[in-house]
Amino acid sequence: SGRFPVFGSDGASLQPEALFSMEKPLSFIRDVLSQGGDPSYPTLDEAVVFGGPGHTPLCDHTNRHRTSPMRLDYYCKVLGGLPMADIHVGTQRDMGDIDISIQSSTADILLKNNLIMNDENDPEHSQHLVKTDETSRIHLRGSDRDNIGLTLAAHGVQNYQNTALQKTFVRLIDTAVSNIQESAIYELNQSFEFGYSCETIHEECEKEPHLVLIAYSGTSIDVAASVKTWK
């Protein structure tokens, strides 16, 4: 997670280390990594980054799931052709299904709180729980584990804090704030030294675009945690 899909490729993505090693990472996001923009849409001084749902794969050769690029293309159209870059949230679906053993008492609590299902009439959404006196075996799909991780992150469980995705969000925020601070200092120094107005300097200086983060409801938890970490 925390990578940037390269649109038009078959699941290729750019690692955040490569992006932030560039001189102007936000310009690269706007000019190269963004997609879905209407050709008539005016050139933005913003780099718009979309963090979609966590259960979306980067690519899907089975054609059974909507991928990150497909979702981003849809949201771009909903927003009137706004060009956006995607940040891959990551999903356990890439790892497939697993079977785990838990204590039967824990299974009872999960069933009681409707956190798992054991309905033979609904196999698509059931976790296929097999109970014994002491232990129980539960079949978890990738989407189930995505939901578990989201719940744990929302409750501040340590292993789900400071993830790769959150680290990328922090670096995006830090880059955007640093650009604003450096620009403000430059404009102030130039206006004092040469007597230029700040408006003139603003027009003449090539600036990095501002950062705009748009997050899916679940991914907003990671954004909030990242802002807290950055502060």
Side-chain angles (χ1 to χ4, degrees):
S1 62
R3 296 170 291 158
F4 294 86
V6 178
F7 297 102
S9 65
D10 189 16
S13 60
L14 182 69
Q15 295 290 345
E17 290 77 10
L19 174 67
F20 293 110
S21 67
M22 300 178 183
E23 183 179 356
K24 297 182 178 180
L26 295 183
S27 292
F28 189 83
I29 289 175
R30 181 193 61 189
D31 300 335
V32 179
L33 296 179
S34 296
Q35 77 142 14
D38 189 320
S40 63
Y41 209 94
T43 302
L44 298 176
D45 62 349
E46 299 171 341
V48 185
V49 178
F50 175 71
H55 52 268
T56 307
L58 188 59
C59 62
D60 179 31
H61 298 293
T62 66
N63 295 319
R64 295 191 307 169
H65 303 293
R66 181 179 292 183
T67 64
S68 294
M70 292 169 63
R71 284 188 180 274
L72 183 68
D73 183 63
Y74 171 77
Y75 287 116
C76 287
K77 293 176 181 177
V78 169
L79 294 173
L82 176 69
M84 295 190 289
D86 186 32
I87 183 170
H88 185 52
V89 175
T91 175
Q92 293 291 330
R93 281 182 172 176
D94 297 334
M95 306 301 293
D97 300 350
I98 63 171
D99 291 324
I100 63 171
S101 295
I102 60 176
Q103 293 182 347
S104 292
S105 58
T106 302
D108 291 336
I109 294 174
L110 294 174
L111 287 169
K112 182 179 179 180
N113 290 278
N114 297 317
L115 296 175
I116 60 173
M117 292 178 58
N118 191 31
D119 187 354
E120 295 180 357
N121 297 320
D122 189 9
E124 183 179 352
H125 298 97
S126 180
Q127 278 78 33
H128 310 297
L129 178 67
V130 179
K131 291 185 63 179
T132 62
D133 291 338
E134 296 295 331
T135 61
S136 297
R137 183 171 55 83
I138 184 172
H139 183 79
L140 292 177
R141 297 178 296 273
S143 58
D144 298 325
R145 303 199 303 281
D146 285 338
N147 292 332
I148 291 171
L150 180 63
T151 302
L152 294 174
H155 285 79
V157 176
Q158 184 174 2
N159 288 348
Y160 289 86
Q161 299 296 309
N162 200 30
T163 62
L165 174 63
Q166 292 175 14
K167 289 178 180 178
T168 301
F169 277 135
V170 168
R171 296 182 75 175
L172 282 170
I173 295 169
D174 191 54
T175 299
V177 172
S178 296
N179 289 338
I180 294 174
Q181 292 174 337
E182 291 173 2
S183 176
I185 293 172
Y186 177 80
E187 289 181 354
L188 184 62
N189 289 339
Q190 292 294 307
S191 64
F192 277 118
E193 185 174 353
F194 299 106
Y196 294 157
S197 67
C198 290
E199 289 78 9
T200 302
I201 296 296
H202 180 79
E203 294 175 356
E204 292 181 353
C205 294
E206 183 179 358
K207 290 179 175 291
E208 273 273 75
H210 299 294
L211 173 67
V212 177
L213 292 177
I214 302 177
Y216 200 78
S217 55
T219 311
S220 63
I221 294 174
D222 293 285
V223 175
S226 302
V227 172
K228 183 178 179 180
T229 299
W230 180 83
K231 291 173 63 179

